[in-house]
Amino acid sequence: MSDTAFTPRVFSGIQPSGGLTLGNYLGAIKRFVDWQEAGTHETIYCMVDLHAITAKFIDPATLRRNTRELCAGFIASGIDPEKSVLFNQSQVPEHTQLAWIFNCVARMGWMNRMTQWKDKSGKNAEAASLGLLAYPALMAADILIYHATHVPVGEDQKQHIELTRDIATKFNHDYGREFFPIAEPVIEGAATRVMNLQDGTKKMSKSDPSEKTRINMTDDADAIAKKIRKAKTDPDPLPETIEGLEGRPEARNLVNIWSGLTDQTPAQVVEANAGKLFGYFKQDLADIAVDKLGPIASEMARLMEDQSEIDRILGRGAERAREIAAPILDETYDIVGMVRS
Ligand code: AMP
Ligand code: TRP
């Protein structure tokens, strides 16, 4: 294996810790489809089930269901398991094997600085799982076990990708080999941070207790339209230019969602709707969202009817993933000094 020329390869993952949201779709999956269709890179997409058990207890049946539903969501959104490698993390043991090595490369100080760790462990870090602290090292292993060069993610994952780069750099330096690529985060588009529909300063999240704050990819037309119509806004109409959205996080968020769903820039969206009252804007946005998301939801439901087919796709994806991961793990063990016989 060459030390410097890396195959152009995209890797990204989503946790099956709950249902898919519009944030996951616009911030991640839609862009995964663009990479797949561009054909410039191999594309590898993973349901990170081992990450999903780091935060709070998930009932096993729910985890299994979420993983299959996430797979259906990927496919319904346009990920083609023939073109991309699509699988769940726990079926490829090389991820956790490399993660152990990275646990020994990463420093406690690095892990303690992660904002996601601080947010999720909250006031009682003593009660958080060791897995939650080690989470970013497993994430680095997810990426580097494929020597991935590009990682499309939402804004919230930037710090984790920086840590991945630090781990690769330290490993390469410690062992004196340019073995792991320094992967690039790809955070692009208007919708890299889709916000909560009731509070434009918080991210839209699958774990928020209130359903009104998010659009789920499984929501029906009525639910989508209702949530958008009830989304919080300020009393002013849409401004003439994009600058007029400053200090108006809820208004900005709805413009970004429109932009993400239609592939227009936020400036174009504002220009086309200048002076419109939000009541009307939300009505139009609801129609656009129902139009785009409705067919994905019904395709997901159709795919979920045949779970053995989903499991077959995941199994086949895992086999293909292992073909790439196994030789990289072997070489890593060799570099580290593990006896291989
Ligand atoms: P998660 O659901 O936390 O596993 O996130 C999976 C992917 O979706 C990651 O790339 C996240 O950055 C992205 N993502 C999650 N929530 C949002 C959001 N509200 N806006 C944009 N991207 C998001
Ligand atoms: N931590 C990511 C999230 O919550 C999910 C994830 C795990 C991931 N491993 C990854 C994303 C590797 C990109 C690459 O969103």
Side-chain angles (χ1 to χ4, degrees):
M1 197 175 297
S2 153
D3 262 16
T4 45
F6 294 103
T7 306
R9 199 172 272 152
V10 161
F11 180 93
S12 198
I14 298 188
Q15 301 186 66
S17 48
L20 271 176
T21 68
L22 181 64
N24 296 133
Y25 176 66
L26 294 178
I29 300 190
K30 194 161 177 284
R31 295 158 56 229
F32 300 171
V33 175
D34 293 341
W35 277 105
Q36 169 189 280
E37 293 308 311
T40 52
H41 291 60
E42 281 181 29
T43 45
I44 307 178
Y45 300 124
C46 184
M47 281 124 262
V48 289
D49 44 10
L50 296 166
H51 278 111
I53 59 169
T54 54
K56 53 174 196 263
F57 178 83
I58 304 191
D59 157 69
T62 306
L63 178 59
R64 254 190 291 276
R65 185 185 161 81
N66 287 349
T67 304
R68 291 179 177 134
E69 193 174 270
L70 182 50
C71 181
F74 270 108
I75 297 171
S77 305
I79 297 296
D80 175 348
E82 296 299 318
K83 293 187 190 165
S84 295
V85 178
L86 187 64
F87 68 104
N88 59 313
Q89 188 186 32
S90 61
Q91 294 208 69
V92 180
E94 286 79 3
H95 290 236
T96 37
Q97 289 174 288
L98 184 61
W100 180 259
I101 306 280
F102 288 172
N103 284 344
C104 302
V105 173
R107 308 288 95 185
M108 284 295 285
W110 303 0
M111 310 315 266
N112 278 320
R113 276 196 289 279
M114 293 294 113
T115 53
Q116 183 175 299
W117 156 252
K118 287 193 263 186
D119 289 349
K120 289 200 182 167
S121 61
K123 289 186 196 73
N124 194 3
E126 291 289 309
S129 76
L130 181 55
L132 189 65
L133 181 67
Y135 177 119
L138 176 59
M139 179 162 162
D142 295 339
I143 296 166
L144 295 174
I145 196 66
Y146 302 103
H147 277 184
T149 54
H150 294 82
V151 188
V153 280
E155 183 65 40
D156 60 329
Q157 294 302 311
K158 193 167 175 213
Q159 195 187 33
H160 286 157
I161 312 293
E162 277 158 14
L163 185 95
T164 301
R165 294 162 65 89
D166 290 343
I167 289 177
T169 304
K170 181 162 162 57
F171 181 99
N172 290 348
H173 178 265
D174 288 350
Y175 293 99
R177 293 262 315 259
E178 293 307 307
F179 183 65
F180 288 114
I182 310 303
E184 292 284 342
V186 189
I187 302 168
E188 278 170 355
T192 52
R193 196 165 164 81
V194 177
M195 307 309 276
N196 179 311
L197 295 177
Q198 297 299 326
D199 177 352
T201 62
K202 283 203 244 157
K203 161 181 115 145
M204 181 182 287
S205 162
K206 58 181 91 164
S207 55
D208 195 291
S210 164
E211 277 288 327
K212 288 189 300 192
T213 62
R214 66 172 162 268
I215 293 174
N216 304 306
M217 294 304 287
T218 47
D219 282 348
D220 61 22
D222 273 357
I224 296 173
K226 203 167 175 186
K227 287 177 186 176
I228 293 183
R229 280 202 310 269
K230 296 222 159 134
K232 188 177 162 201
T233 41
D234 56 49
D236 294 336
L238 272 106
E240 300 294 321
T241 62
I242 188 98
E243 288 76 30
L245 290 174
E246 244 162 73
R248 301 174 65 188
E250 284 85 13
R252 172 86 221 194
N253 188 40
L254 294 179
V255 167
N256 283 352
I257 291 175
W258 183 307
S259 161
L261 286 170
T262 60
D263 294 321
Q264 291 173 302
T265 64
Q268 287 168 328
V269 176
V270 169
E271 198 180 312
N273 293 282
K276 202 185 261 181
L277 289 171
F278 265 97
Y280 296 110
F281 182 83
K282 287 195 284 191
Q283 188 55 53
D284 292 346
L285 178 59
D287 290 344
I288 292 173
V290 166
D291 239 37
K292 288 273 168 187
L293 306 178
I296 299 179
S298 38
E299 180 63 2
M300 278 174 78
R302 193 190 66 77
L303 291 164
M304 281 298 276
E305 278 167 22
D306 190 352
Q307 291 195 354
S308 56
E309 174 60 8
I310 291 185
D311 293 0
R312 194 196 59 76
I313 291 170
L314 291 174
R316 173 73 192 116
E319 258 173 52
R320 289 169 64 201
R322 292 194 79 176
E323 282 166 20
I324 307 173
I328 293 178
L329 181 73
D330 256 342
E331 201 171 346
T332 308
Y333 274 176
D334 193 48
I335 291 172
V336 172
M338 304 296 169
V339 173
R340 317 293 288 146
S341 51

